């Protein structure tokens, strides 16, 4: 396999993964990621057990919540 084939394979894999994640969100099915969708670090099993549909790590979740609060201000 040459480098172009390998690159193409990686692109196809990441696209199909994104599509799968997107369709899960679209259908409203459970979204339970192993890795934070913001920074990509592994989410501890305990956190995933504690929080339904957890898709981010603690750090990113608090950042998102801070941004959401900020956006609600007039
Ligand atoms: Zn994160």
């Amino acid at each position: 396999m040459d480098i172009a084939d390998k690159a193409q394979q990686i692109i196809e894999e990441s696209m199909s993964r994104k599509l799968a994640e997107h369709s899960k969100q679209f259908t409203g099915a459970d979204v339970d990621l192993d890795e934070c969708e913001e920074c990509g670090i592994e989410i501890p099993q305990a956190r995933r057990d504690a929080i339904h549909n957890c898709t981010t790590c603690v750090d990113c979740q608090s950042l998102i919540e801070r941004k959401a609060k900020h956006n609600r201000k007039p």
Side-chain angles (χ1 to χ4, degrees), residues 23-31 53:
S23 65
K24 265 194 272 179
Q25 286 169 354
F26 185 74
T27 56
D30 282 1
V31 180
N53 288 356

Side-chain angles (χ1 to χ4, degrees), residues 5-28:
D5 286 341
K6 185 73 182 163
Q8 184 65 30
Q9 190 191 0
I10 290 167
I11 290 165
E12 282 171 6
E13 279 171 5
S14 80
M15 275 175 66
S16 63
R17 188 169 171 225
K18 278 208 164 66
L19 277 172
E21 283 170 7
H22 186 261
S23 65
K24 265 194 272 179
Q25 286 169 354
F26 185 74
T27 56

Side-chain angles (χ1 to χ4, degrees), residues 20-56:
E21 283 170 7
H22 186 261
S23 65
K24 265 194 272 179
Q25 286 169 354
F26 185 74
T27 56
D30 282 1
V31 180
D32 191 15
L33 301 179
D34 292 347
E35 294 169 352
C36 173
E37 67 176 5
E38 294 293 321
C39 69
I41 69 162
E42 192 180 336
I43 300 170
Q45 182 63 51
R47 175 166 167 76
R48 284 189 275 139
D49 288 344
I51 300 167
H52 189 58
N53 288 356
C54 176
T55 58
T56 58

